[in-house]
Every structure is written in C-alpha cells, then in structure tokens.
C-alpha cells in the first residue's frame, strides 16, 4: 500500500477553485446585502442594462447557466429587497422581464467594482487580468464550458 497521496484530479481542482471563488465573492458582496448567487443575477442584469437589454427570467437563466426555477427564486428575493423589478415582457405576456431598480443599479455598480477588485487579486498569480496566461486560462475555461456533459447513469452502467 502506497503512502503517497494520489494527485488531485482536474475535476477536484475545478470544484475547489469554484468553491474558493464562490466563498470569496460571498464575503466580498455580503456588506452590500448580496450572496454570490444574487450577485450573479445583479451583475449580469447590470451588464445587460448597460447594453440596453432587459432580459426575461428565461433569458437570464440561459445566459448564467442557472436553472430557471432558481433564477425565479433569486429574482423574487431581489424584488423583495427592492433591487429588481419583475414585470411582464411586452413582447411575450407570459414571460417575466427583469430590470434593476434605481437602488439595484447603485448596488450592482458597487458589487461589480468589488468583484472586479477580487478578480485582479485572484488573477495576480497569472500576471493580472490582461496577461497572456490569463487569456490562455480563459480560453481553456471556455473550451471546457463548451464541452458537452451528457453522461447519464445508464451510460455509466454500460461502461462497467
């Protein structure tokens, strides 16, 4: 029996990195009354607002990769905090359109600034936000995000 520990798998390292990032963002945006998940919505809405877009809950779910039901739950909490308005989409009366309230715009702007500082700190070991290593890392992440993950329990049983 070997006493040398097995090296961590890429999946384990990705999980650890994503957990580390989520915890860091949670702590950074907590003083603004946000969680990491709420920041994901508020920050995305802020970026979309700046480009003149007012997405439906479904469009926001598709953009963030979050489940539509979870986006709905988060949007309701943000609406209760007076940060988000949930209204009917003029193009589709069945859809709920999301927009930031004036207070939501202020909080979003502060939160984005805080998370951008966190990004700078996090990317420091790669040479900073504009370094070649950060660009390569970003490309690797995009490649992995674009890769399909459609394994079902049946697929696993067939491989055994």
């Amino acid at each position: 029996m070997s006493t040398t520990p097995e090296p961590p798998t890429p999946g384990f390292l990705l999980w650890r990195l994503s957990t580390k990032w989520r915890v860091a963002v949670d702590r950074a945006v907590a003083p603004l009354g946000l969680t990491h998940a709420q920041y994901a919505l508020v920050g995305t809405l802020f970026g979309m607002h700046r480009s003149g877009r007012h997405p439906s809950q479904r469009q926001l779910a598709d953009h963030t990769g979050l489940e539509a039901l979870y986006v709905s739950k988060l949007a309701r909490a943000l609406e209760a905090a007076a940060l988000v308005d949930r209204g009917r989409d003029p193009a589709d009366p069945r859809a709920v359109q999301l927009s930031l309230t004036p207070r939501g715009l202020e909080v979003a702007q502060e939160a984005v600034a805080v998370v951008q500082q966190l990004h700078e700190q996090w990317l420091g070991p790669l040479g900073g936000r504009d370094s070649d290593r950060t660009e390569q890392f970003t490309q690797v992440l995009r490649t992995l995000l674009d890769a399909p993950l459609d394994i079902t329990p049946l697929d696993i049983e067939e491989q055994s």
Side-chain angles (χ1 to χ4, degrees), residues 23-129:
V23 168
V25 173
D26 265 336
R27 288 180 181 155
V29 299
L32 299 171
L34 298 173
T35 65
H36 176 265
Q38 290 171 330
Y39 168 75
L41 258 61
V42 168
T44 301
L45 281 172
F46 181 70
M48 290 178 155
H49 169 82
R50 289 175 57 185
S51 64
R53 295 177 11 206
H54 301 283
S56 68
Q57 284 184 171
R58 164 55 63 193
Q59 290 167 331
L60 192 59
D62 291 344
H63 183 81
T64 59
L66 297 171
E67 294 291 327
L69 190 59
Y70 190 46
V71 169
S72 176
K73 179 182 173 183
L74 290 170
R76 287 179 197 278
L78 292 166
E79 180 182 41
L83 300 177
V84 168
D85 280 327
R86 296 172 67 244
R88 290 288 160 214
D89 186 337
D92 181 358
R94 299 167 296 158
V96 175
Q97 188 176 47
L98 301 175
S99 60
L100 293 168
T101 64
R103 181 169 176 262
L105 279 169
E106 290 175 18
V107 169
Q109 193 167 12
E110 287 181 57
V112 166
V114 166
V115 173
Q116 283 179 344
Q117 289 176 346
L118 195 57
H119 259 121
E120 290 298 330
Q121 180 183 359
W122 182 57
L123 295 171
L126 296 179
R129 182 177 218 131

